Every structure is written in C-alpha cells, then in structure tokens.
C-alpha cells in the first residue's frame, strides 16, 4: 500500500511504475476484447449464422463477469489481489482459445462465458490494486493511465477487428489474446509483490452464487428471447421471468444469513457506495448500448466496412480516458458530485444527439457523437468509482470495488438484453436483416440509451460532495 514516505509520483519511472505497467497490460485484455469484437459481429454471423443470437455474445460474457466479480472481490480481501488476478488471466486465456476454435454460434456464446469468468477477476483487480498503492490525490492520474489503455484499445481494437475480419479470419480477434495474457501474467509475477495477507479459510456463499447466476440468467433469457422464440404473454415467458424474480429474491434472503455473503448488505447502508453503484450500472447500459450497435448501424445501414465502423466506435473510448485523466483536477477542487454532474450532463447531450442519427448521417458525425459521450463517461465513471474506493479501508476495498464493477456488468448485460430484445422484435431474426428494419430498430436503441443517460444524470445528483477517507 502507498505510504507517506513514498514519492508522490505516478509515472512509469517511479517506484510503483512496474506495477502500473503490469496493471495496464492486464487491463488491456478486457479493453481490447470489448472493442475488437464489436466490428466483427456481422462477419461472425455470416460465418456461423444466428443474427438473432448475437446479443448473447455480449450478454453471456457480461453475465459471467458480473456473477463472478463479487466472489473474486471477497477472495481478494481474504487472500490478496495477485493470486486472483493471475487466476483471472489464466481463465481468460482459456476462454479466448476456445472462442477462436468455436464451430457454431451456440459454442461461441458458451466460450464467451468462460472469457467472462476470467474478466470478472482481471478488471476489478486492476482497479483495486491501483486503489491500494495510490493515495486519493494520486488515483486520478493512475486512473488516467489505466484509462489510456482503453484509448489505445479503441484505436487498435477496431482496426485489428476490421483487418482480421476482412483479410484474415474473425477467429484472430480471440487468438491475439494469447501473447497478451502471457505477457501480463509474466509482468505481474515479476513486478507485483504483496505484503502478508490473511490465510484463513474462506466460507464462500456458493448457494448465493448459484441463486444469483440462475436469477440473472433467467431474466436475461426472458428479455432476449421474449417475443422472438416465444410470445411475451406465453407460459414460457411467465415461467422464466418468475424463476428469475424468485431466484433473486432468495439470493437477497441468503445474503442476510450467509457467514461470508457474496454481496454484503452493509454495502447498501452507505450512500456513496449505493449511488456510485447505480451510476456504474447506468454507465454500463449506456456504453454497451452504443458499443453493440454503432458498428452494426454503420455497417448494416450505411454500408461501410468493418474498419470504418471501428473508427466510428473508437472515438467513444478515446474521449473517455481524456476526460478520466483530467477528472482528478475537477473532483479535488469541486468535489465528486459536481464532477459527476458535469460528466452526466455531457453524456446526456451526446446520447441526445445519437437519437438524431439516421440513414443520411455521415461517419464523422457519428464519431463526434461517440466522442462526446466518451467525454461524459470519463467525468462520471472514474470519479464515482474513486469516491467509493476512498470511503473504505483496505480490508473492504475489494468488496467496494467489485460491487461497483458488478453493477456495471449487470447494467451492461441487462442493457444489451433489453436493446437486443428491441432489435429482435423489429427484424426477422433469420439471416441478415433488411436495411430499413435495422435502421428503425437501432434508432430505438439510441432512444433507450438517451433515456438511460438522463436517469444516470439524476442519480449523480445524489453523490456526496467529497470523501472523508483517503
């Protein structure tokens, strides 16, 4: 952990520089994966079929990530961050290899779940370790470095995805993770050295994990397949939604009696953690709504190639790290609430402009809209997360961080499921959809994203001004 005797520097040449580089390499696994696949969706569908199933490529990944994040957070507080991070990298590597070998859309969806289980450890552990080794004043700059990975991935990911899709094979979007996983693991083993941590045997709430998985999966299945595989008012639809609601209700009850609950209820008694998690949930819905459907719109409606579609999306994750790296100056001077409100307002403007996108829109206009949204995300996502981390001690930071990441993953998964249900209700679901159908369907997605951004701004108003801890 950072101490007052350490030099307050957050560069690569500082004492903690090698650890920061290792965290950036680890973050690149999740960051690259989230941008490289979006531009290859139509190519994958052409090869494997199943356009109506493609939202599951995102939803199953996010669901697996979401349900595993709280468990990893608890284990990290008990045994330390390094072991959990290395486990996550190994699982992510296995999932990537399996995805690259997938022979059908159902197989690819299943293997994406394995990837998600790995990402459930990698992403929150990167953020948690940064919270451990840097002070409140240093964290904004550290987050800027980590966010810059998303910027590099925003440029490199869509470009690689487009090149692989058009000139090689979409399978390389997964095989490229092999050397990245190896390098990230090697750097962490060599450079990150934790102090002594508790070796007590954890009592993991496996029943709670099972109930959460069943409940979330049932709700997502109902949202994605309702009106497509069965009627909304059918017995199948009613049964699936009932299973989801009952499972989640039992999960909540289980958390009140478990010795080591997956999602400790004390999280919901602290305002900063609740509000930051709600903001994170809506951030996930907004970002994945755009990430999933901007490339599809640019390719399927405007008729461009995968590389051009990647450029339009890249600006979203370019604007994010720029704003995130500057957010520290804002929240240290004006407080967390003012910074989050500023970011939320910018995001509302950007998503509002997205609702004006149509058949005659230019690529640069779509790219500009995504850039504005990215700026807003950087000013609301990073400060609210840092506020949550700063409100707890080391022994609770893993849970606090994982809860925030859990909320974002759930928001992303549910958002993609809802948007996927909207799209599936407007297109045929067999083969490549009609251009006018696709345009109309994705327009409704953009309207939904705008609504989520407005709600996010309202929730940000509940943020506390400043944190009392470091």
């Amino acid at each position: 952990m950072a101490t007052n005797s350490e030099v307050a520097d957050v560069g690569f040449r500082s004492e903690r520089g090698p650890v920061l580089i290792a965290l950036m390499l680890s973050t690149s696994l999740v960051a690259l994966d989230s941008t490289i696949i979006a531009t290859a969706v139509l190519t994958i569908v052409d090869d494997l079929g199943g356009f109506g199933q493609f939202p599951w490529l995102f939803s199953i990944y996010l669901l697996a990530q979401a349900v595993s994040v709280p468990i990893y957070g608890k284990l990290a507080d008990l045994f330390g961050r390094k072991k959990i991070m290395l486990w996550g990298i190994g699982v992510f590597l296995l999932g990537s290899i399996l995805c690259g070998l997938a022979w059908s859309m159902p197989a690819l969806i299943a293997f994406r779940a394995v990837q998600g289980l790995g990402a459930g450890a990698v992403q929150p552990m990167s953020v948690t370790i940064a919270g451990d080794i840097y002070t409140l004043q240093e964290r904004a700059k550290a987050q800027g470095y980590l966010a810059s990975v998303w910027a590099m991935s925003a440029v490199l990911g869509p470009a690689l995805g487009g090149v692989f899709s058009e000139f090689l094979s979409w399978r390389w979007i997964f095989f490229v993770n092999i050397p990245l996983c190896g390098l990230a693991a090697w750097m962490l083993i060599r450079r990150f050295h934790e102090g002594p941590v508790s070796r007590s045997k954890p009592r993991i709430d496996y029943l709670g994990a099972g109930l959460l998985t069943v409940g979330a999966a049932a709700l997502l299945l109902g949202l994605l397949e309702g009106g497509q595989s069965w009627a909304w008012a059918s017995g199948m639809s009613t049964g699936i939604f009932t299973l989801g609601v009952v499972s989640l209700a039992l999960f909540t009850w289980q958390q009140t009696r478990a010795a080591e609950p997956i999602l400790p209820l004390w999280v919901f008694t602290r305002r900063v953690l609740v509000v930051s998690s709600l903001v994170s949930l809506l951030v996930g819905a907004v970002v994945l709504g755009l990430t999933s459907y901007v490339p599809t719109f640019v390719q399927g409606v405007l008729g461009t190639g995968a590389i051009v579609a990647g450029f339009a999306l890249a600006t979203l994750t370019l604007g994010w790290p720029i704003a995130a790296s500057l957010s520290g100056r804002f929240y240290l001077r004006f407080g967390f609430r003012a910074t989050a409100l500023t970011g939320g307002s910018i995001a509302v403007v950007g998503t509002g402009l997205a609702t004006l996108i149509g058949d005659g829109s230019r690529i640069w206009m779509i790219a500009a809209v995504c850039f504005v949204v990215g700026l807003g995300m950087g000013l609301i996502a990073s400060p609210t997360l840092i506020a949550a981390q700063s409100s707890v001690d080391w022994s609770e930071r893993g849970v606090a961080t994982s809860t925030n990441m859990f909320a974002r993953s759930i928001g992303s998964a549910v958002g993609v499921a809802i948007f996927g249900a909207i799209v599936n209700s407007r297109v045929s679901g067999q083969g490549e959809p009609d251009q006018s159908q696709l345009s109309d369907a994705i327009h409704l997605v953009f309207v939904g994203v705008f609504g989520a951004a407005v709600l996010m701004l309202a929730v940000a108003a509940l943020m506390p001004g400043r944190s009392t801890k470091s």
Side-chain angles (χ1 to χ4, degrees), residues 413-450:
V414 173
V416 169
I418 293 174
F419 298 144
I422 292 173
V423 171
N424 285 340
S425 69
R426 295 283 178 143
V427 300
S428 63
Q430 300 295 328
E432 190 168 339
D434 176 79
Q435 183 176 353
S436 61
Q437 286 182 332
L438 191 60
S439 177
D440 178 57
I442 296 180
H443 172 73
L444 291 179
V445 170
F446 292 157
V447 171
V449 168
F450 172 67

Side-chain angles (χ1 to χ4, degrees), residues 264-419:
L265 295 184
W266 59 258
V267 168
F268 301 103
T269 66
R270 303 183 187 181
R271 175 183 165 191
V272 63
L273 297 182
V274 172
V275 176
S276 67
S277 294
L278 287 175
V279 169
S280 188
L281 183 146
L282 292 163
V283 165
V286 170
V287 172
L288 261 293
L290 294 177
T291 300
S292 302
Y293 289 101
V294 164
T296 304
F297 181 88
V298 174
Q299 289 178 269
V301 177
L302 302 186
T304 71
I307 295 177
V308 175
F311 163 74
L313 178 63
T315 55
L316 173 69
T317 37
L318 278 174
W320 189 320
I322 292 174
S325 62
L326 297 175
S327 65
R329 300 179 185 180
F330 285 85
Y331 70 66
L332 289 175
R333 182 173 180 180
F334 303 109
F336 292 116
R337 185 192 302 114
T339 306
L341 286 173
T342 301
S345 299
I346 295 173
V348 167
V349 171
T351 54
L353 292 173
T355 64
L356 304 178
I357 294 174
D359 297 358
S361 297
R362 301 291 185 87
I363 298 298
W364 68 264
M365 296 170 60
I366 299 175
V369 166
C370 289
F371 182 75
V372 172
V373 175
L375 288 176
M377 292 295 102
L379 283 176
I380 192 171
S382 295
T384 50
L385 172 59
I386 292 173
Q389 287 185 326
S390 302
S391 68
V392 298
D393 297 320
W394 186 94
S395 61
E396 298 175 335
R397 191 167 292 138
V399 168
T401 303
S402 65
T403 299
N404 190 280
M405 295 290 100
F406 169 75
R408 184 179 299 185
S409 296
I410 287 293
S412 300
V414 173
V416 169
I418 293 174
F419 298 144

Side-chain angles (χ1 to χ4, degrees), residues 74-206:
K74 173 64 69 174
L75 291 175
D77 284 342
L78 289 171
F79 293 125
R81 328 303 195 198
K82 185 174 182 177
K83 289 182 177 179
I84 306 303
M85 175 72 93
L86 291 174
W87 166 266
I89 292 173
V91 174
F92 190 86
L93 172 61
L94 174 62
S96 298
I97 294 173
L98 291 174
C99 284
L101 299 174
W103 56 88
S104 67
M105 184 65 77
L108 181 57
I109 291 171
F111 298 149
R112 283 283 287 171
V114 178
Q115 267 194 315
L117 291 174
V122 174
Q123 187 172 7
M125 286 307 102
S126 296
V127 178
T128 302
I129 293 170
D132 289 343
I133 65 176
Y134 294 111
T135 66
L136 175 61
Q137 291 73 23
E138 297 169 333
R139 282 174 200 155
K141 190 173 181 180
Q143 288 292 335
Y145 275 98
L146 293 178
S148 70
V149 175
W150 292 88
M152 290 183 286
S153 299
V155 176
L156 184 60
L160 284 176
V163 169
F164 292 156
S165 298
E166 292 187 12
F167 302 109
L168 295 174
S169 168
W170 59 264
R171 299 179 186 278
W172 282 98
I173 69 177
F174 298 107
F175 290 148
V176 74
N177 290 326
I178 296 175
L180 286 176
C181 287
L183 183 58
W186 180 76
M187 283 290 294
L188 281 168
I189 292 172
R190 278 182 56 92
R191 298 296 188 177
F192 181 44
H193 307 289
E194 278 189 306
V197 293
S198 172
R199 301 295 177 184
S200 60
K201 183 178 180 180
R203 291 178 288 178
I204 301 301
D205 180 17
Y206 294 107

Side-chain angles (χ1 to χ4, degrees), residues 55-56 58-66 216 219-220 223-224 281 284-285 288 406-420:
W56 276 102
F58 300 94
S59 290
I60 197 68
Y61 173 90
L62 294 166
L63 173 62
Q65 183 182 25
L219 290 181
L220 288 176
L223 288 170
L224 278 173
L281 183 146
L288 261 293
F406 169 75
R408 184 179 299 185
S409 296
I410 287 293
S412 300
V414 173
V416 169
I418 293 174
F419 298 144

